[in-house]
Amino acid sequence: MTEIEAIKARHSVRNYEKKKIEPEKQQQLKSKIEELNASGNLHLQFIEDAGNTYNKLLNKAMGLSSAPSVIACVGADDETLEERIGYYGEQLVLFAQKLGLNTCWAGTFNRKNIGASVGAGERLVISIAIGYGATQGNQRKSKTADQVTSGGEERPDWFQYGVEMALLAPTAINQQKFEIQYLTDGTVNIRDKGGVFSKVDLGIVKYHFQVGAEAMR
């Protein structure tokens, strides 16, 4: 499965089977996490037993309490942390999709029960539920390309396909509060428009756009 195929196949999944992730897949996830942590100055952690991470009432109502495992998104705390979490965390999410696993970015969870290691100068930002989904999830309603782009009328194919992939990016409460600008010098500026976890969303969107744009170049 290519990165593009993973983007198209992946949907948020909130209900999971009572099945543990096999040791060999756990090891693959941990190896990928080591790679991403080194690249992004992060401390992402795979926690095999999600335990009571998703025992809050909202989590139970959504079905997330059935998630067998969780990824704690931790990193060195500075002004770039949330965007880095989104950019590198989404690479892990897509890697999990290639392994046949399902995921859900979850900002609501029990921070005391997740069991993450948070060192000095680090912050726990968000979690990712992971396991075998009861379903593969559903395609959600999306904005159009015109609603999230600005800039010149003559936009190259690589830009258009980047936007197409960006519109498939998961965002908090499906808010899609981002703008992708095609500038006169042929470069691109992607910015968030605020909102809950908008910086995490920005990192995810940037990665999706990059994958799409590079596929057409």
Side-chain angles (χ1 to χ4, degrees):
M1 181 181 285
T2 66
E3 206 78 341
I4 292 288
E5 289 170 338
I7 286 174
K8 291 180 177 180
R10 190 264 169 193
H11 306 294
S12 294
V13 170
R14 297 180 174 85
N15 290 280
Y16 292 83
E17 295 180 355
K18 293 181 179 180
K19 179 181 178 180
K20 292 183 177 180
I21 300 172
E22 300 89 338
E24 59 270 24
K25 289 189 178 180
Q26 288 190 34
Q27 188 53 54
Q28 287 177 282
L29 286 167
K30 290 175 182 177
S31 295
K32 186 66 173 179
I33 284 171
E34 287 182 11
E35 172 194 320
L36 294 171
N37 282 345
S39 297
N41 189 24
L42 296 172
H43 190 189
L44 304 175
Q45 300 157 52
F46 173 79
I47 300 170
E48 180 181 1
D49 185 0
N52 290 319
T53 300
Y54 298 114
N55 67 349
K56 289 181 175 291
L57 184 60
L58 178 60
N59 298 143
K60 291 180 178 179
M62 294 168 63
L64 274 178
S65 58
S66 62
S69 299
V70 62
I71 294 160
C73 297
V74 180
D77 192 11
D78 61 22
E79 68 278 1
T80 70
L81 174 58
E82 294 188 13
E83 185 176 328
R84 284 187 285 118
I85 289 286
Y87 184 84
Y88 291 100
E90 183 65 3
Q91 293 180 52
L92 183 58
V93 161
L94 296 174
F95 182 76
Q97 188 71 33
K98 294 177 184 180
L99 293 178
L101 299 168
N102 302 100
T103 53
C104 181
W105 287 92
T108 300
F109 61 99
N110 195 318
R111 292 171 177 267
K112 293 181 179 179
N113 291 345
I114 193 171
S117 172
V118 183
E122 294 185 336
R123 178 162 60 95
L124 170 62
V125 175
I126 197 169
S127 72
I128 302 171
I130 184 169
Y132 287 97
T135 71
Q136 292 301 304
N138 299 304
Q139 182 72 45
R140 70 199 183 291
K141 185 178 179 180
S142 175
K143 291 181 178 179
T144 66
D146 286 344
Q147 289 176 305
V148 299
T149 57
S150 64
E153 293 182 3
E154 295 296 326
R155 300 169 186 172
D157 289 343
W158 60 262
F159 177 85
Q160 303 285 21
Y161 199 55
V163 171
E164 183 179 332
M165 292 301 103
L167 286 168
L168 295 177
T171 58
I173 56 176
N174 199 30
Q175 58 190 347
Q176 294 186 301
K177 287 189 175 181
F178 60 86
E179 181 181 27
I180 304 175
Q181 301 169 310
Y182 183 69
L183 305 179
T184 54
D185 61 358
T187 60
V188 176
N189 179 52
I190 305 176
R191 68 181 186 90
D192 74 277
K193 293 184 174 182
V196 61
F197 289 109
S198 64
K199 294 297 184 185
V200 175
D201 291 349
L202 181 63
I204 297 172
V205 167
K206 282 186 175 181
Y207 183 69
H208 274 233
F209 180 87
Q210 175 185 318
V211 170
E214 289 180 351
M216 294 293 288
R217 283 179 164 174

